[in-house]
Amino acid sequence: MPGQAVSWKMNLWVTGSGSFINIIAMTIMLPFLPHYLDNLGDYSEGETWLWSSLVYSSTFITAALFAPLWGRLSDRYGCKINLIRASVGMLICMTLMGLATSAWQMVVLRLLAGIAGGYTSGATILMAKEAPESRGGQAQGVLFACILGGSLAGPVLGGFIAVHAGMREAFFISGGMIFFNVLLTIFLVREENAPVRSQRESTAPTTSFDFRIWAMLVATMGLLVANLSIEPIIYSVVGSLYHQPLETTSAAGIVLSVTALGSLFSSLVLGSLADRYGSLRVATYGFALGGLLILPQAFAKDVYTLMLLRFAMGLALGGVLPCLKSALKHAYSNGGGVGRIMGLSTSFQYIGQVVGPMMGSIVAAGLGISFVFYVTAIVALACAILIGSSERWRSASN
């Protein structure tokens, strides 16, 4: 159907750019957040860092709690209205952050952003419903690439705007970008598949135990843990390696960036491979290869070897999340509840974003830096075994 092909591709273009913009808005403050908070009150250095961590992490907490709700409402009332709601909510929150006068106001606004936002989650749900079965993995891969691109561009843009325009102006500019996205979503997104509201489907037992589904949800969390466990200790890791002529801070930033860069490339390719060879098969191999590439990072002697290994790890793991999203959509055969299961998947992503850095810090403090890589490799390999076991469970149950 030519009309439907144009429609889902337009939806992908709009929601991909919208996800890119929303992630920029969420990360634009990272380069100057401590300095911005320091200007909002008379805080000690320790208090500033504490407030910074609260401001940054608060969004993920409320987003994890509310993602299943927004997914459920997407099933009931449609994805487009949910995308508009999320965009308007982010627009209001980001604009008010530029007007904040205290650190506690920033925490409250970030909590509200987690509640009111969720554009990327809504985009995932929309494309899970609208993309053709044969292109589901590709659509999720493009969305994930846009999200990664936003996470790379946000801090860079935030630092540039803060220097040349001002820190408050960075929030206003990001709000203007979101307003542009609101207009695109209103006028260009077309939802071909009408919401299913029958009583039977609205009460479908999405929380009943299904080993395949819960394996994929746990693996989603494990993927974020594997990617983010090194972040809180990256400065110490790089400082212990040979990194001349780079400064420690610069080298640490490059190490994190090359991982995301590898993931971006991979997400565009592996999503298409998943459509051809099977999402869970590609995800299993990705986890296994990623775990094997994490292990030698513990023995790196210079930062350039670490960069190469992290880039390769990003290539291995970058396409796993789109594969898991696509597989979840196929595993949950009740089409009326795709939003709920995708919302739950997003919650597990946010949990992984909190657990990953926390695990890295705890392991490094208790056992040493090298053990962070050992434990992270075990997590990735355990996810490979879990996903592989879920496939065998499906075969046995059939």
Side-chain angles (χ1 to χ4, degrees), residues 5 14 48 70 92 100 118 128 132 148 207 237 276 306 318 335 349 360 388:
V14 174
T48 299
W70 299 133
I92 294 172
L148 286 172
T207 55
V237 171
R276 182 178 302 178
L306 182 62
Q349 283 180 242

Side-chain angles (χ1 to χ4, degrees), residues 143-211:
L143 279 179
F144 188 50
C146 292
I147 293 171
L148 286 172
S151 67
L152 289 173
V156 175
L157 184 62
F160 180 84
I161 294 175
V163 170
H164 293 89
M167 291 181 289
R168 291 188 182 274
E169 285 71 14
F171 293 104
F172 300 143
I173 290 173
S174 63
M177 295 169 64
I178 295 174
F179 178 71
F180 176 70
N181 182 52
V182 172
L183 297 179
L184 288 180
T185 304
I186 291 174
F187 293 109
L188 296 181
V189 169
R190 292 177 56 191
E191 193 168 3
E192 300 290 341
N193 297 316
V196 180
R197 302 188 187 183
S198 68
Q199 180 65 25
R200 179 181 62 84
E201 289 179 339
S202 65
T203 58
T206 59
T207 55
S208 60
F209 184 80
D210 184 319
F211 181 69

Side-chain angles (χ1 to χ4, degrees), residues 16-353:
S17 61
S19 297
F20 178 77
I21 289 172
N22 274 265
I23 295 300
I24 284 179
M26 294 301 294
T27 59
I28 201 169
M29 68 182 71
L30 292 182
F32 59 81
L33 179 57
H35 185 44
Y36 185 67
L37 293 176
D38 196 43
N39 291 335
L40 298 182
D42 185 19
Y43 305 114
S44 66
E45 183 178 18
E47 289 173 334
T48 299
W49 286 110
L50 177 61
W51 279 115
S52 296
S53 63
L54 288 174
V55 169
Y56 181 70
S57 61
S58 56
T59 297
F60 299 119
I61 297 172
T62 50
L65 293 174
F66 279 82
L69 172 62
W70 299 133
R72 187 181 184 88
L73 293 179
S74 292
D75 289 331
R76 186 168 181 81
Y77 299 107
C79 296
K80 181 174 180 176
I81 188 66
N82 187 44
L83 289 172
I84 296 172
R85 175 207 57 77
S87 296
V88 173
M90 278 295 295
L91 170 61
I92 294 172
C93 290
M94 290 304 299
T95 303
L96 290 178
M97 285 180 201
L99 301 173
T101 58
S102 65
W104 71 263
Q105 290 179 3
M106 287 292 292
V107 173
V108 171
L109 288 170
R110 290 281 290 187
L111 286 169
L112 290 175
I115 296 172
Y119 189 93
T120 57
S121 175
T124 300
I125 296 169
L126 177 68
M127 295 317 303
K129 293 183 177 182
E130 297 291 324
E133 292 289 327
S134 61
R135 307 292 286 276
Q138 179 188 5
Q140 296 298 331
V142 171
L143 279 179
F144 188 50
C146 292
I147 293 171
L148 286 172
S151 67
L152 289 173
V156 175
L157 184 62
F160 180 84
I161 294 175
V163 170
H164 293 89
M167 291 181 289
R168 291 188 182 274
E169 285 71 14
F171 293 104
F172 300 143
I173 290 173
S174 63
M177 295 169 64
I178 295 174
F179 178 71
F180 176 70
N181 182 52
V182 172
L183 297 179
L184 288 180
T185 304
I186 291 174
F187 293 109
L188 296 181
V189 169
R190 292 177 56 191
E191 193 168 3
E192 300 290 341
N193 297 316
V196 180
R197 302 188 187 183
S198 68
Q199 180 65 25
R200 179 181 62 84
E201 289 179 339
S202 65
T203 58
T206 59
T207 55
S208 60
F209 184 80
D210 184 319
F211 181 69
R212 283 187 304 152
I213 290 177
W214 285 100
M216 285 183 275
L217 292 174
V218 172
T220 299
M221 181 182 68
L223 175 65
L224 273 297
V225 171
N227 273 312
L228 302 179
S229 63
I230 193 178
E231 287 201 353
I233 61 168
I234 185 62
Y235 190 88
S236 298
V237 171
V238 171
S240 65
L241 304 175
Y242 175 80
H243 54 272
Q244 299 300 324
L246 297 173
E247 296 290 336
T248 304
T249 303
S250 299
I254 294 173
V255 169
L256 296 179
S257 296
V258 296
T259 308
L261 190 61
S263 296
L264 192 154
F265 291 150
S266 176
S267 63
L268 292 172
V269 176
L270 291 189
S272 297
L273 290 179
D275 291 330
R276 182 178 302 178
Y277 299 108
S279 298
L280 289 186
R281 179 181 297 179
V282 174
T284 301
Y285 288 140
F287 268 125
L289 182 57
L292 295 176
L293 288 168
I294 292 171
L295 196 58
Q297 294 174 29
F299 306 99
K301 300 298 182 183
D302 60 84
V303 74
Y304 303 102
T305 301
L306 182 62
M307 288 178 186
L308 181 62
L309 290 170
R310 295 293 292 183
F311 179 76
M313 186 199 80
L315 289 174
L317 296 178
V320 170
L321 186 59
C323 290
L324 292 174
K325 294 285 188 181
S326 180
L328 268 174
K329 190 247 181 173
H330 290 294
Y332 191 68
S333 57
N334 182 357
V338 171
R340 282 172 286 179
I341 200 65
M342 288 296 178
L344 194 58
S345 172
T346 301
S347 290
F348 275 78
Q349 283 180 242
Y350 289 134
I351 293 171
Q353 286 182 285

Side-chain angles (χ1 to χ4, degrees), residues 353-398:
Q353 286 182 285
V354 175
V355 172
M358 185 182 300
M359 185 199 78
S361 299
I362 293 174
V363 172
L367 300 175
I369 290 177
S370 61
F371 281 89
V372 175
F373 296 106
Y374 302 150
V375 174
T376 305
I378 291 173
V379 169
L381 293 173
C383 288
I385 295 172
L386 183 63
I387 295 298
S389 299
S390 71
E391 278 288 86
R392 288 193 293 271
W393 181 87
R394 182 184 67 173
S395 300
S397 62
N398 291 336

